[in-house]
Each structure stands twice: as C-alpha cells, then as structure tokens.
Amino acid sequence: MSGPLLPTDPSADAQRRTALRRMRTLAVGLLLLAAAVYLLTLDATGFWGFVNAGAEASMVGAIADWFAVTALFKHPLGLPIPHTALIPKRKDELGRGLEEFVGENFLHEEIVRERVLGIGVSRRVADWLAEPANAARLVDEASELLGIALSKVREEHVEALVTEALVPRLREEQVAPLLGGLLAEALADDLHHGLVDLALDEMHDWLLAHPETVHEVLGERAPWWAPERLNEIVIDRLQLEMLRWLSEIRANPSHRARLALDSLLTQLARDLQQDAETQERAERLKERVLDHPAVIATAITLWKALRRALQTSLADPDGAVRRRLLAEVAHAAARLDADPALRERLDRAAADFAVFAVDRYGAEVTAVITHTIERWDGKEAARRIELHVGRDLQFIRINGTIVGGLVGVLIHASTVVMGH
C-alpha cells in the first residue's frame, strides 16, 4: 500500500527547487544555442561546416541526455515509452537493491569494527566528561530522568511486583538451604560478631537507662511472701550481675557465651542445610510470613520511604546523591584519561557491541529502506528524489551537449580527411 512521504523542510525544498530550475534553464539554453548555431550555419562549408557539424551533434547529445535524465522520473513528453518513468514504476525494486547495497557495503563487520575503533569512543567520552559543565549536565539529566522514573512507579505497581512476582517465586524456592548457606558464610567471615557487639551494647545501655523497668519486671515474679526490702536487694544484685556479665562478654572476644552462641549458630546453619525437620519448620515460618498482610504493607512503606529520600536528594543540587554522582563521573573521566589499556578495552568492547548489533539487527535496519520505499507514492517519490538529485543530473545534459559537439567536430574532420 502506497502512502504519502513524510514532510520536509519547506525552506530547504524551495532552495533545491530554485537550484534545479537554474540548472535546467542552463541545459535548455545550451540546447537552444546549439540549435540556433546549426540553423545559421546550415549548408556552410569550410570552417563553418565544422561549426555546423558540432552544433548538430550537440543537439543530438543534449536531446539524448535529456531523454535519459527525464526517463528516470517520468515519461518524456508524456509518452508511455517502454523503460521510462523508472523510479515511479520500479521504486520497490530500487528499494530492495538499495537495501542490499547498504547491507553489503556499509553494514559489514570489518567496516563497522574499523569505524568504531577509529572513532575512539572512550577518549571522546573522557574528554567530554573532563569538562565540569558537561559532567554537571550529565548528572542533571540523569537526576531528572531518574526522578521522573521514580514518580511513575505507583503503589499498585509495587504491590503487583510483590504479589505477582516476588511472593510466588519465594513460595517455589526452599528458603532453608539459602538461609543456611548465608548464615554459614557469615559465620566463616565473622560477620555476625558486629551484630553481637551491637546487641550487647544496646542491652547494656538499656539496663543502665531503665532500672525501674527491670525492677518492675523482676518484682512481678518475686515470691509474695518475701519482704519487699529483700526483693529490692535481690533485684539490685541481679541487675548488677547482668551488667557485669554483659561487660565481660563485650570485653572478651573468647567469652564462653560468645563461643556458645557461635556453636548454636553453626549448628543452626548446618540444620537449615541438612536437617529435614529444621527445613520444614523454616518453610512453615516462611509461609506464615508470606501470608501475613504486613508483607505488602511493609514493601510499600519501604518503597515510599526510599523513593522520597531519593527524590529529595536528586532535587537538591547539593544533595548527597548528586555529589556522589559528580564525584563518580569525575573519577571515571580521570581514569579513562590516564589508563590507555582501559580505553583500548572499552573501545574494543564498543566495537564488539556494534558488530553484534549489526550482525543481529542489521537486516532489520536495512529492511526499513525497502519497507519505507514500498509505502511511498511512486509519483511523489520521483518528484522528491528529483528535487534532491535533479540539479546534479542536469550536468549530464550539459556535458552531453558539450561532448556531443566535440565528437561531431571530430567526426566531420575525419569525414573531410577521408574524402580527400
């Protein structure tokens, strides 16, 4: 199905139309000049005989080349001569030929790789990012785009992600081996010691700051028959011993309580990976957690808090996120500038990616040429193409007029020589 061509710049088309008209006028003027000279020197001899022969050949050349150029775009003089109006009638074949030409001569692996490597993408990126104004512009654009993207994510999107993607996936996966493996790795790297120290510090500080709560809790469990003063002495002693015990654990990395906790966690990690009963209990706990309504509410709350923090920081020109992005961009530019090996790797990676893209999608890209031309209206396409290249094609007519005249003179001279 044919369709209209996309609109172009009217001012540019007007300039092309003026240039085409000027060259056509010149070509027609030369043809008329040759015709006038031919008529004025008709039946002349001697020197003017040569002029007459040249003028005659110039007319032949001019008319022949006019026919050839015109036949590309329309029927000369409106006559349906075979093999004329080639572009309107054979635009689809021309489109397929152009598609094959572009694919074979431009989207070739060696050409694409050589061109990408010759550009020096990494060097250009490094030089561009080295300018503070460019780095700030990049960060500004990225911050704006990220802020827009964050604002487009609504609560129902988060809920759908959790309920339709994350929760079903978690139900399918056994969580016990995963937790056991993570716990074993954490124990092997002593990552849990930081959490233990934090918990001990918080417990110690809480006992110091809330003695009345300790008294209240322990007092409720004291014997009813014991004197109140005795209960107070015992509770004070218990609180003091708990503080002393926590202090000892905090100060001694090899304390028996720490070792006991390490042993307990190690056994738990092993059971989560190997013991069927422990794994079953972990799975039941997982199911209860996933079925709880607070899962979705918590996910939405966390997302809203994260989004609000990011948007606030991105909107602030002096925010932490923007400062960090600027620092990373500056660091990347400096590293690219100072590391030729890195630039070479990145350039080769860019060339490999370009070759991959051409190899995988090149046919689809070149097919756009054929599909687009097939949708064009034939006459409109011919008019548009003539507007773009017609000016240069008029030189064919001009050259034909001049060369035809020279050839006519040579033929006449040969005839004269052979006649003698």
Side-chain angles (χ1 to χ4, degrees), residues 57-58 398-408:
S58 292
I398 296 171
N399 292 335
T401 304
I402 297 172
V403 174
L406 295 175
V407 172

Side-chain angles (χ1 to χ4, degrees), residues 38-84:
Y38 173 75
L39 292 174
L40 291 174
T41 59
L42 192 63
D43 297 328
T45 58
F47 170 77
W48 294 109
F50 283 90
V51 174
N52 181 263
E56 181 180 7
S58 292
M59 289 191 298
V60 173
I63 294 173
D65 288 337
W66 164 81
F67 183 91
V69 171
T70 304
L72 290 173
F73 306 102
K74 55 188 175 183
H75 296 299
L77 301 177
L79 301 175
I81 303 173
H83 304 293
T84 60

